[in-house]
Amino acid sequence: QVQLVESGGGSVQAGGSLKLSCAASGPAYSTYYMGWFRQTPGKKREGVATIGSGGSTIYPDSVKGRFTISKDTAKNTLYLQMNSLKPEDTAMYYCAADRVWYELGSGYRYWGQGTQVTVSS
């Protein structure tokens, strides 16, 4: 079973940057597909970045060019670099993992507890 722990959230002004980390533990971590998601109260969870085998990545238009997902297999850590942040990026951010690549869908089996990102105007 994979365990995921996010960190790096916080409060930042619009235009600023944050880098989220997701520390993973469990067997065969490097073989899992992973993604970052966000959710605000009353809204559906939204995929904001995912990374597949070979390092291929997918982003929705809302964050493309501003967010970058990366994975350090040696450190068992997934990252999300967020630049040019906007107030609408405010949300709880979660990382997720599974042996099946759901791309930006939320079908991943393993989820972290989340880290809050707040962007003020």
Side-chain angles (χ1 to χ4, degrees):
Q1 181 170 344
V2 174
Q3 294 181 326
L4 305 171
V5 179
E6 303 95 335
S7 62
S11 297
V12 64
Q13 289 192 327
S17 298
L18 282 174
K19 186 173 185 177
L20 305 184
S21 299
C22 174
S25 61
Y29 158 78
S30 62
T31 66
Y32 281 71
Y33 297 99
M34 302 194 71
W36 285 99
F37 294 77
R38 66 186 180 188
Q39 190 170 24
T40 55
K43 290 190 177 182
K44 184 180 177 181
R45 189 169 291 185
E46 173 192 21
V48 296
T50 184
I51 187 164
S53 59
S56 55
T57 57
I58 301 174
Y59 305 92
D61 289 343
S62 57
V63 307
K64 197 173 292 182
R66 299 189 298 121
F67 290 11
T68 303
I69 188 172
S70 60
K71 186 177 179 183
D72 187 331
T73 303
K75 296 183 178 180
N76 283 4
T77 302
L78 182 74
Y79 300 101
L80 183 68
Q81 177 67 49
M82 305 186 295
N83 299 327
S84 302
L85 283 162
K86 304 175 181 179
E88 52 262 44
D89 294 319
T90 295
M92 184 71 77
Y93 282 72
Y94 302 87
C95 66
D98 202 302
R99 291 187 181 276
V100 175
W101 195 14
Y102 292 96
E103 297 185 347
L104 294 176
S106 58
Y108 293 82
R109 180 175 182 181
Y110 302 106
W111 294 83
Q113 294 299 308
T115 185
Q116 178 69 35
V117 171
T118 303
V119 184
S120 58
S121 58

